[in-house]
Every structure is written in C-alpha cells, then in structure tokens.
Amino acid sequence: MRTTAARRMLAVAMTTTALGLALPAFATEADEPQAVQADETTAADAGDTGAIIVTARRRSETLQSTPVAITAVNTAFLESKAAVNIGDLQGAAPGLLITQQNSGAQAANISIRGLTYADIEKSQTPTVGVLVDGVVIGTNTGQLQDAFDIAQLEVLRGPQGTLFGANTIGGVINIQRTKPTMKPGLKAEATFAKFGTFSTKILANYGNEESWGVKAWYFHNETDGFYKNVVRNVDAGWSNGENYGASLLFKPTGSGFDAQLTVAQVEQVFDPVVSNITNSSEVFCAFIPARECNRNTTTDLYTTFGDAASSNYKAPEATLEMNYDAGGVKLTSITGWRKSTEAQTQDFDGSSTDLYYVDRRQHYEQWSQELRAAGEMFDGFDYVVGGFYFKSEYDLTQWSRVFGFSPNTPPTLFDRNAQRVEGKTESYAVFGDFNWAFAEGFRLSFGGRYSHDKKELSNGFAANTLLDPDNIDLSKIALVGKGKASFNKFTPKVGIDWRPNQDVMVYASWSRGYRSGGFSPRAATAATASTPFQPETVDAYEVGVKLSAFDRKLELNLAGFVSDYKDMQQNLTVPGGPTGNQTITGNVPGGALIKGIEADGTLRVTDNLRITGSIAIMDSHFRNFVTCGAYAAGPVATNACGAGLVPFNYSANRLIYAPDFTASLGAEYVAPTGFGDITTNVGWRHISPYDEQLSAASLTPTLNGSGQATLITVGGNDPRVRTTTQDLVDASMTFNFDLKDSKAYLRVFTRNLLNEKTTTHAFTVAGLWSFGMALEPRTYGVTAGFKF
C-alpha cells in the first residue's frame, strides 16, 4: 500500500523525463598571441598604453571606447587560478554566475543580471549565449567550456540580440581561442592537486612565419572527486576528460585574405553524483534510512549514499572562419558544426534505497553559418551587416526505474514505457549595426535583427515493450503528440555616447532581447505536446560612464540598468499522461522587473602592482506571477485554468540565480628577480545568498464558501534551494624562470581558501524528495611547465 501511494504521489510531481531543473578588466598583455587584433585606427588610438582590445560589437575597439557593459578576461587570469573550466569566473564579473549542472555533460547554469535558464533539455534554449570562435553553442550542454587555450574571454552584460542572435537576452560569453603563431613553439605543463587531481596541457605551433601556421593541442584532466559515498565506501564525483584538436591558419601574403580551420573533440566520463537533502516532510524519508534524511545543505553535502552511475560524453566540432579585406569593406564567413553523444545513468534520489534511477541516451547536432560585411560608408559612419542560419536536430530516449527496489536491474530492462523525444530547430536572421559620429564627441549607435525560428518536437512512449538502447525501433513508440510552430521577431537597439575627451565616455542605450518559443519536451498528452509556448522578451535600459585617469593607470566603469522581463517562460506541473502528470512550459505575462548598479575598475599602482575590483547591487522581483497548476491537497473551484487546476501566485518568490549583491577584489604583484620574476595573485569574490529553483516553502489556499480552493499563495522558495553567503578567496604564486631560449614556471595555488561549503545547484521534487550538488571545497596544488 505504501509503495502504491508513493508511486501515485511521484506521478503527480514529475514526468518520465529527467527532472525540470526549473569582471573588472582583468585582461593584460598575455604571453600567447591574442585572438583579437585591433585594426589600424584602433591600434593608433590605443597607442602603447596596453589598452584592451575587444570585439563586443563585431569590431575591434578598445574596452574603454565600447558603449557596452563588458568585462574582458585573458588566459593569464584563468591560469593564475589553475582554472579547469569557465565556472571559475563565478562572481568575477559584476552579476555573473556560472555553476555546473551535472544532469548533463559540460552543462552550465549561467546567469547575468538575474537572467538565467536552469535546464538541460535541448529543445529549449539558454538565456545567455556562449560563443567559441564565433560559433554559438545551441544548448546548455557544452556551455561549461574548458579553461584552456583561451586568448580572451569577454562577458557582455544585457541583451545582445542585434549582433549575437535570438537567445542572448541575458548576455553573451564570447570565447576566443589563440590563433596559430605561424612559427615553431611549444607550451607544456602538468598540475597535481588535492582530491587526486591531475591534469596536463600541451600546445604546439609551427609554420613558415609568414603565410601559414598550424596549432595542435591536448588537454587531460582527471580527479577522484571531493564527495565520499559512505554506503559503497568510495570517492564520488570522479571525472576523466580529454580535449584535443588542431587549427590551420592560411594567410596568403599580400592577398587580404585569411582562413582558419579548427577541428576539436571533447570526451568525458564522469560520476553524476547528487547529495541527498530530503527532509521528514517529504515522502522518500519513509523509505530511506534515518541518517539519510534531514541533512544540512552545507557540510553534509559532501557525504553521499547513492548507487553507482556514470556519464559518457563525446562532442566533436569544426569551425571554418574566412576573412577578406577588399579595401573599403571586410567580409567574414564563419561556418560551425557541433555534435554530441551522451549516455548517462543517474541516481536522482541520492539515497541507498532504489527509488528513482534513470538512463538517458541523447544525440544532438547543429550547423551554423554567419556572413558579415563591415566597413565605413563615409567618414564617421561605419557599419556591420550580415545574415545568420542555424539548424539543429536532437533525440532523447529515457528509461526510468521508479520505486524499483531493484538496483541491479538496468532501467532499460525495467522500464517498458520509456520516453522518446525528437526535436528540430531551423533559424535564420538578418542584422545590421551602425555607428554615426554626427557631431564632435557624439556618436549614435543603432541597429536591429530580424529573426525567424521554426521548431518541431514529437513526444512518445514505448508501447508497453522494451526498447533496445543501441537500436531504437521507432515502430514501437506510441506517438503522444507532435508540434510545429514558427516565431518571428524584430529586436532593435539604439544608443548614444559622448566623449568630451579621450578619458571620459558617457553612454545610454535601449535594446530588446528575444528568446524563441517552442514546445514542452516533457509534455505527455497530444494537446500539451502540440501546444507551443511563446517567446519571451526583455527591454533593457542602460546608462553608463567609462573613465580613465592618471595616464590610464586608473580605469573605472559604472553602469545602471533596468530590465523589463515580459512573457517569461516557466515550467508548470499539470495533470495528464501515462504517469498521471506532466511538466509543460508556459508563459507568465506579468514577468519580472530587474534593476541594478554595477562598477568595475583597474588601478595600476606601480608597474609591478595592479589592483582590480567590481561590485554589483541588484533588485529583482516578479510582477503578478500567477499561473495554473495542480493542487492535490484538497478540492478546487471551477476557474479559468481548467479541470483539476487552480491559480498559483508566485509573486512573493525570489528570482533564481539573482543575488542582491556581488563584489570582487584582486591584486597582482610582480617581483623581479635574478632568474625572472615572482608573480603573486590574491583574489576575493563575494556572492550574497541566491535561490536555485522556483519552488514552494509553503502553500496557502484561499477557499470559497464551499471549502474549495480558488487561489494558492506560494510562500517563497524552499530555503534548501538557497545558498549561503560565499566569500571565495583564491591565491597563487608563480615563479617564472627566464632560460636561454625558453621560459619555465612553477605555480602553487589554492582555491576557496576559506573552505566555503554550500550548494551550486539544489532541487526539490514536490513533496517527494530533494537533492543538490556541492561547491568545490578548499583545494590546493602545484603546476609546473615550460614554453618557447
């Protein structure tokens, strides 16, 4: 009886697919050649000041002359932290959060200015775009890029739809890898660190120093993990990853043409461990040992109880960039292809009892093509215009072992009702961005992008039969529903900036961001599977000032913004489907309002001492967030939501991944020595508590005279999905040795020196159970390497 009741309650809370997981200017002159080269005008403007060159507007401009809130980070900053992936930028740029979502390989939850998308389903798109060498990554999976061979990384805050596409309403992380140097060179290093961590990096260059060059790289990283599974008495959270590839650069002398072809592959095998944070108010506590319930969300996170699981991920890619300088115009073509294959098992309940275990198999492939023309139409008027095409296909098959109490039976043999999802996306866009210096010191920037997106998605379940995971027979899939829809949007942007002198720029802008609509990947009825959710938009207003002083030894950037978030997309649980419920995506017309103030800056105290800092203060709240949902605690009155549903008011809940306050402070000191120099880096990042899931701490029904619920008021998010205050201190000391024809270095480092312990992701499952993932605790290590 107990098992039957629990099965029914589980059906009310979830679908058969995986759970709906609803900087200051750090860049300096790097040892490696930079991926960004200034044009002659910009270079002349920059002079010999070491000004940072960025491409935030598809032009080479100095950081201080770009009327966009942007943080530039180069390889030196990442190397000083011994960063494994871009997640180590968390809190380093104002309002930036990057956390790992281990329900998918290289999956990231990225938030900029409180705009985020915390899900791994490939039919839905991120709110923050991640681009690598100009190619957008179309899903959250793959966004958590390895911090290796990066020349420069730019964090663009606020909607970037005009130049970077539809699904960048929160911003863009633009990653540019180093270009081949076209001459012989080699860099190699090895790192040993806590938790059995070992990594090695090799980067080799060769060429004729004039017209061609080739670059090849290999990166390996492995760790035993920082969790301890006390049931199986093993380390947990282990991983083993490889990243390798090559790039060929061809620049015929005197032709004005260059082409670069890059091919690469990422391979990962890892343990997708979760921590159990279920408490006594939830059903699963009746089935699992007492010691596994009512655990805290700090120090207890690092002790786990789940069954063994693993994820295998393979992702090849290829990029071809071609440029031709025709004199008055520069033409650019970027062709991108990415593919991924995933096979992942995961014990989602995180307990020693076999309650909810899944096996997910996925395939994804994308093609993209961008064509751009840039130039100057007349003196003081320049432009970037172009077109973009994107196409992707994916499929997912998931087997679930629900209340199986049979940990030795694979889900593929247990589940005779496995779910199959197939999706397609096709998009194209045309865009233009223009600058007009209409008066001395004044410049008007304007432009727009027209986007067209076509989405298709089909959902189905195995017809009470077993599916062969290596050879899916689609004739055995009973189609639940199929949806097709198209979405169109024009997203304009306009701004003005004023430069009274070379050291001051004041700017203001308005832009509209757009995130495409689509279909619910977890829909389980024909009606919901064929009903699309609509696009969401953000109107962003921003004013800012960029200042330089003391011969550019001090650079300070200030910005204030207001983001008007409309028709926001949210996951909803409603009745229907073979398990009794389904999770669908809908729109909340009330949306949200987000306001904030940001600042970042750099102070070069001496030639050897540099201090950086940033701060962001943000206020965010939902507006009239009332949506329809299922309420199982009592009868509901007839209302506009439909049978069995009732309005839920989430207006008092906090937005997720939207901390009220973040700050950072860093110092770098270079001490010359007889053998080279010693570089010391110390950094502090402060992140105030933030919520990681839209959930319910309490439900308060409003009843009519017949005792029926007419409205459910949600009393904020569950406190278990809220982080603690984080003060993350990192430090390193690098000994650089100048040898005859090469350089060698030895680096000692520590991350999270204060040993902060909290969640990076947490999720509650509608009164059944809860789980989370933990922040990396204090770690330390040593790196040794050489280069020539």
Side-chain angles (χ1 to χ4, degrees), residues 122 138-139 338-340 363-366 390 392-394:
K122 294 178 173 55
T139 70
R338 299 180 67 91
K339 185 177 182 179
S340 66
H363 304 89
Y364 174 82
E365 186 173 15
Q366 69 171 60
F390 178 90
S392 70
E393 295 185 4
Y394 95 100

Side-chain angles (χ1 to χ4, degrees), residues 28-108:
T28 59
E29 294 183 61
D31 293 320
E32 290 77 10
Q34 294 297 294
V36 186
Q37 300 295 331
D39 57 29
E40 292 181 2
T41 302
T42 305
D45 181 63
D48 297 323
T49 63
I52 301 161
I53 306 302
V54 295
T55 57
R57 300 193 304 154
R58 301 298 198 189
R59 305 164 173 85
S60 295
E61 304 172 291
T62 64
L63 180 68
Q64 292 303 101
S65 66
T66 305
V68 174
I70 178 174
T71 298
V73 181
N74 77 347
T75 187
F77 173 77
L78 295 169
E79 288 182 346
S80 70
K81 298 163 62 64
V84 175
N85 56 56
I86 64 171
D88 284 303
L89 291 174
Q90 165 110 326
L96 172 67
L97 299 180
I98 306 177
T99 59
Q100 184 171 7
Q101 165 56 274
N102 74 357
S103 296
Q106 274 197 325

Side-chain angles (χ1 to χ4, degrees), residues 445-492:
S445 301
F446 60 96
R449 188 183 191 103
Y450 173 81
S451 302
H452 173 83
D453 301 297
K454 184 171 70 174
K455 299 287 186 74
E456 295 183 27
L457 196 73
S458 62
N459 298 52
F461 295 86
N464 196 31
T465 186
L466 296 176
L467 298 177
D468 181 353
D470 299 317
N471 186 23
I472 301 295
D473 183 354
L474 296 181
S475 67
K476 297 180 179 180
I477 304 294
L479 187 66
V480 171
K482 185 172 185 177
K484 293 183 180 181
S486 295
F487 310 95
N488 305 289
K489 195 70 175 179
F490 176 70
T491 50

Side-chain angles (χ1 to χ4, degrees), residues 82-424:
V84 175
N85 56 56
I86 64 171
D88 284 303
L89 291 174
Q90 165 110 326
L96 172 67
L97 299 180
I98 306 177
T99 59
Q100 184 171 7
Q101 165 56 274
N102 74 357
S103 296
Q106 274 197 325
N109 296 333
I110 303 178
S111 174
I112 297 179
R113 291 182 172 176
L115 295 179
T116 190
Y117 168 68
D119 206 323
I120 59 168
E121 299 300 343
K122 294 178 173 55
S123 62
Q124 295 170 306
T125 50
T127 55
V128 175
V130 175
L131 286 85
V132 180
D133 291 342
V135 177
V136 66
I137 298 174
T139 70
N140 281 32
T141 301
Q143 284 194 326
L144 197 68
Q145 287 284 301
D146 292 326
F148 170 65
D149 189 34
I150 294 177
Q152 185 159 294
L153 183 152
E154 300 168 6
V155 180
L156 286 62
R157 306 191 293 277
Q160 305 295 327
T162 300
L163 288 172
F164 290 95
N167 303 307
T168 57
I169 64 173
V172 163
I173 296 178
N174 188 23
I175 299 172
Q176 296 156 337
R177 290 181 276 206
T178 63
K179 288 186 176 294
T181 62
M182 298 195 294
K183 60 183 180 181
L186 179 68
K187 179 178 180 179
E189 69 176 38
T191 297
F192 298 87
K194 193 178 178 183
F195 308 117
T197 300
F198 169 71
S199 67
T200 183
K201 304 177 182 180
I202 301 174
L203 177 66
N205 275 280
Y206 190 74
N208 68 354
E209 302 188 26
E210 184 178 4
S211 61
W212 69 271
V214 64
K215 176 188 75 172
W217 72 88
Y218 172 76
F219 171 43
H220 169 81
N221 186 76
E222 63 180 71
T223 180
D224 294 337
F226 49 76
Y227 298 91
K228 182 68 175 182
N229 187 294
V230 295
V231 175
R232 294 181 284 121
N233 193 30
V234 295
D235 293 326
W238 52 265
S239 67
N240 191 315
E242 320 280 342
N243 183 328
Y244 52 89
S247 185
L248 172 65
L249 176 63
F250 180 52
K251 297 178 66 175
T253 304
S255 67
F257 173 79
D258 66 79
Q260 183 176 356
L261 174 64
T262 301
V263 293
Q265 179 154 295
V266 173
E267 298 181 19
Q268 288 186 350
V269 182
F270 66 94
D271 174 18
V273 64
V274 299
S275 302
N276 191 340
I277 56 174
T278 304
N279 65 25
S280 295
S281 68
E282 296 172 303
V283 173
F284 278 22
C285 268
F287 296 86
I288 64 180
R291 68 169 180 167
E292 299 176 22
C293 275
N294 301 306
R295 302 181 65 79
N296 66 44
T297 56
T298 53
T299 56
D300 285 350
L301 294 170
Y302 302 86
T303 300
T304 65
F305 311 94
D307 291 333
S310 67
S311 178
N312 290 266
Y313 173 71
K314 184 176 291 187
E317 63 174 276
T319 303
L320 174 62
E321 178 178 347
M322 297 183 291
N323 297 283
Y324 178 61
D325 189 344
V329 59
K330 180 179 180 181
L331 304 176
T332 298
S333 169
I334 301 177
T335 306
W337 170 80
R338 299 180 67 91
K339 185 177 182 179
S340 66
T341 302
E342 297 173 73
Q344 179 163 323
T345 58
Q346 192 158 15
D347 185 0
F348 270 113
D349 61 79
S351 73
S352 59
T353 305
D354 182 35
L355 300 176
Y356 185 64
Y357 193 99
V358 302
D359 187 324
R360 289 166 61 88
R361 312 289 176 94
Q362 299 185 80
H363 304 89
Y364 174 82
E365 186 173 15
Q366 69 171 60
W367 282 93
S368 63
Q369 175 63 55
E370 183 166 0
L371 298 173
R372 294 198 306 267
E376 191 172 55
M377 191 171 297
F378 53 83
D379 187 32
F381 190 98
D382 65 77
Y383 65 89
V384 176
V385 297
F388 176 76
Y389 177 79
F390 178 90
K391 184 177 182 178
S392 70
E393 295 185 4
Y394 95 100
D395 63 73
L396 160 69
T397 309
Q398 177 171 310
W399 295 262
S400 303
R401 195 173 64 227
V402 182
F403 279 92
F405 301 102
S406 182
N408 296 321
T409 303
T412 54
L413 297 179
F414 180 91
D415 188 2
R416 304 180 69 89
N417 199 36
Q419 185 169 12
R420 175 80 176 185
V421 180
E422 297 183 5
K424 295 180 181 180

